[in-house]
Amino acid sequence: MRLSRYFLPVLKETPADATVASHRYMLRAGMIKQNSAGIYTWLPLGHRVLKKIEQIVREEQNKAGAIEMLMPTIQSADLWRETGRYDAYGPEMLRITDRHDREMLFGPTNEDMITDVFRSFVRSYKDLPKMLYHIQWKFRDETRPRFGVMRGREFLMKDTYSFDLTKEDAVKSYNKMFTAYLNTFARLGIKAVPMKADTGPIGGDLSHEFVILAESGESEVFCHRDLVEMAPPGDVDFEGDLSHIFDERTSLYAATEEMHDAEEFAKIPKDKQLSARGIEVGHIFYFGDKYSAPMKATVMDSNGKPQNVMMGSYGIGVSRLVGGIIEACHDENGIVWPKSVAPFGVGIINLNMKDEACGVAATDFYEKCVEAGLDPLYDDSPDRGGVKFSRMDLIGLPYQIVIGPRGLKEGIVEVKDRATGERQNLSPEAAMNLLVEAFA
RNA sequence: CGGGGCGUAGCGCAGCCUGGUAGCGCACCUGUUUUGGGAACAGGGGGUCGCAAGUUCGAAUCUUGCCGCCCCGACCA
């Protein structure tokens, strides 16, 4: 993409409303625009990141055997009455009346609806297990939206629902998602720690939150230090036994504030005790027949007897992750994107648009990057060097290629690694090789 | 939902206390000179001062009501 043809409204000054780093940088980098409290437009740069995260989440869900579908944002109140949640959910649910005075709502989650879908079609235990998911916008009318997209009212969430005949089988599904989540967050370039969690209003008795450690986190969390650096499971057989992965993580202490047990925590060696602020980016629940029972979602077992299906639900805050990743990956100059989610792979800076040789070299490098699939952003604006440098640092692409008249005379371009700040002077060919290898 | 704060040009702010018809920096437009870490000079455009009512000869400024947004807390993906 050529910057001159793109839509990248960066801000030089920090908007007064933004107090946390990710919110400030998202506004300044032209990723989002606030429309009202907790509701945002995703501008082109932000949209790219959102879609990249979404795609990684999708791929890891598919690997784990979950099947993608799409349910609507608007739901009928009737379904929620069946489970008693229409009254239980409270003012956080946005209630709407249609022209026929029918009560509708903008879905804050989809347990009720997916249970309805399931019971409409599935009759036999032979169809189990099943894991279904969608990636859809949710609305929760928070009393106090804040921190930009990290606590919006409208947000994009991946929610998976598992259906099994028995609790024992449901725990296997739970472990699949537990494992998939570890891989997902690792691919996103962040360290998310699974922590024993309160089940909240969704209910159930087995639940973990996946938490990124960051100073701006909303809640306090406690865990064993080793959990933070533990390598992800990587390629595993999702049809095989995954309990060792679950056991390995859960044998070390990790809990959110509500579930914190100071006595247990104290048993950890002092140098391994970690208490920090955390951002919840994923949450998984097992809740048995909480919804299948009232909604009569049953399948025939091998004896021909109807059984309530045992369910779990598994959420990842896709839009929240954009902010969460920035909280974990930024410096004083701006965002430092992990390669996997960066909006563009490499930024090319032409230091002097009026210098003909410079233009030829930069355009040539740009076109080669396109061919190599590096997804480059070419700053072909007439701005001065300083403006281009600081803008490129702000939007945080993993690599910057600086092409200027001075270097070209020596036959070199400068390659800057955004994360380390390290710069190398290389021939264009060597620079290209470096980039291709970096993204291989 | 309790407590606090803010709303004046696209962004960041001053002016309000003490009423007299709106200003600064950045951004934007034109021109010239510049061009390796947010250039300089000259000229220019842009605001019914959140909305409504009231007080007054006169309201950004005083009064009342409403709306919007932010921060702390409680609540939550």
Side-chain angles (χ1 to χ4, degrees):
Chain A
M1 178 61 66
R2 287 170 182 270
L3 185 60
S4 61
R5 295 178 197 168
Y6 202 48
F7 187 76
L8 186 68
V10 298
L11 304 177
K12 189 169 175 178
E13 284 174 273
T14 300
D17 289 347
T19 54
V20 297
S22 62
H23 191 197
R24 285 200 307 266
Y25 284 143
M26 287 184 76
L27 290 167
R28 286 199 51 211
M31 294 177 66
I32 51 170
K33 172 188 165 27
Q34 180 171 345
N35 296 303
S36 58
I39 299 178
Y40 293 86
T41 289
W42 291 80
L43 299 171
L45 195 77
H47 186 247
R48 274 182 171 251
V49 177
L50 187 68
K51 288 291 157 182
K52 288 211 166 184
I53 294 171
E54 181 184 328
Q55 185 56 25
I56 287 173
V57 169
R58 173 179 290 118
E59 287 169 12
E60 295 302 320
Q61 287 295 300
N62 293 346
K63 276 186 203 166
I67 304 161
E68 187 169 13
M69 58 188 291
L70 186 60
M71 290 177 272
T73 54
I74 305 292
Q75 307 185 24
S76 160
D78 294 346
L79 275 181
W80 288 67
R81 289 214 168 84
E82 283 193 55
T83 55
R85 286 170 110 196
Y86 193 64
D87 297 322
Y89 215 93
E92 228 178 75
M93 183 153 72
L94 180 64
R95 294 150 206 264
I96 310 166
T97 307
D98 74 8
R99 67 196 296 163
H100 303 294
D101 270 341
R102 282 190 282 253
E103 292 175 85
M104 314 291 284
L105 57 100
F106 197 118
T109 180
N110 285 67
E111 282 85 4
D112 316 75
M113 183 171 273
I114 193 74
T115 305
D116 179 55
V117 170
F118 182 89
R119 72 178 172 185
S120 300
F121 302 113
V122 182
R123 296 279 170 268
S124 164
Y125 75 97
K126 292 176 186 169
D127 293 321
L128 301 183
K130 277 283 174 286
M131 294 192 293
L132 300 170
Y133 77 98
H134 73 161
I135 301 172
Q136 176 65 292
W137 292 91
K138 307 291 191 288
F139 195 94
R140 294 183 191 175
D141 200 357
E142 298 277 346
T143 48
R144 194 185 152 211
R146 64 191 123 153
F147 305 147
V149 300
M150 290 207 294
R151 178 165 296 287
R153 292 194 291 170
E154 188 182 60
F155 59 97
L156 188 61
M157 181 162 101
K158 184 286 301 175
D159 39 325
T160 306
Y161 302 92
S162 65
F163 302 88
D164 288 278
L165 184 64
T166 64
K167 176 169 184 181
E168 192 190 351
D169 287 343
V171 168
K172 288 180 189 166
S173 294
Y174 189 92
N175 287 344
K176 286 183 188 176
M177 281 298 127
F178 188 94
T179 302
Y181 275 33
L182 292 172
N183 283 334
T184 302
F185 295 123
R187 272 189 72 189
L188 293 173
I190 51 176
K191 291 163 185 161
V193 179
M195 301 193 174
K196 195 188 287 184
D198 194 12
T199 54
I202 294 179
D205 59 7
L206 177 59
S207 175
H208 287 84
E209 280 184 23
F210 287 74
V211 175
I212 307 178
L213 306 181
E215 276 176 32
S216 57
E218 287 194 82
S219 57
E220 192 153 19
V221 295
F222 306 85
C223 73
H224 192 290
R225 236 171 242 286
D226 289 357
L227 280 170
V228 180
E229 298 300 333
M230 205 173 273
D235 277 332
V236 298
D237 174 12
F238 277 96
E239 295 312 310
D241 182 12
L242 300 173
S243 58
H244 62 285
I245 294 170
F246 178 84
D247 293 343
E248 185 186 23
R249 316 277 160 165
T250 53
S251 61
L252 293 176
Y253 185 88
T256 59
E257 207 168 358
E258 312 84 66
M259 301 297 282
H260 184 49
D261 180 339
E263 255 179 59
E264 284 300 310
F265 186 62
K267 291 180 187 166
I268 304 173
K270 274 272 182 286
D271 62 323
K272 295 290 187 184
Q273 289 180 7
L274 180 59
S275 79
R277 307 289 297 178
I279 301 167
E280 177 185 356
V281 289
H283 202 157
I284 61 180
F285 302 87
Y286 165 72
F287 48 75
D289 63 359
K290 183 180 165 82
Y291 302 102
S292 58
M295 294 186 72
K296 301 186 174 57
T298 61
V299 294
M300 290 297 180
D301 67 14
S302 57
N303 298 315
K305 294 227 167 67
Q307 302 287 345
N308 292 332
V309 287
M310 297 309 213
M311 297 174 57
S313 76
Y314 315 87
I316 290 181
V318 176
S319 51
R320 171 181 281 186
L321 269 165
V322 181
I325 290 170
I326 296 172
E327 287 300 325
C329 309
H330 72 271
D331 62 21
E332 65 281 2
N333 296 319
I335 304 166
V336 184
W337 290 116
K339 287 193 196 87
S340 58
V341 299
F344 294 94
V346 52
I348 300 164
I349 291 177
N350 180 341
L351 277 179
N352 191 336
M353 287 303 292
K354 286 185 180 164
D355 184 290
E356 199 178 328
C358 226
V360 170
T363 302
D364 183 61
F365 199 89
Y366 167 67
E367 284 167 358
K368 290 199 166 98
C369 283
V370 172
E371 282 168 31
L374 293 171
D375 202 9
L377 178 67
Y378 172 26
D379 187 344
D380 59 346
S381 71
D383 296 325
R384 299 166 67 88
V387 176
K388 296 190 180 192
F389 289 131
S390 52
R391 178 167 53 214
M392 205 58 93
D393 283 349
L394 174 64
I395 69 173
L397 309 184
Y399 293 96
Q400 299 172 14
I401 305 297
V402 182
I403 300 179
R406 195 183 292 173
L408 278 183
K409 279 181 195 146
E410 316 292 324
I412 55 159
V413 298
E414 183 183 292
V415 183
K416 177 174 162 183
D417 182 316
R418 177 65 181 85
T420 64
E422 184 195 344
R423 300 164 205 220
Q424 302 181 56
N425 289 319
L426 298 172
S427 69
E429 295 73 26
M432 183 63 65
N433 289 339
L434 183 153
L435 292 175
V436 168
E437 240 169 74
F439 284 95

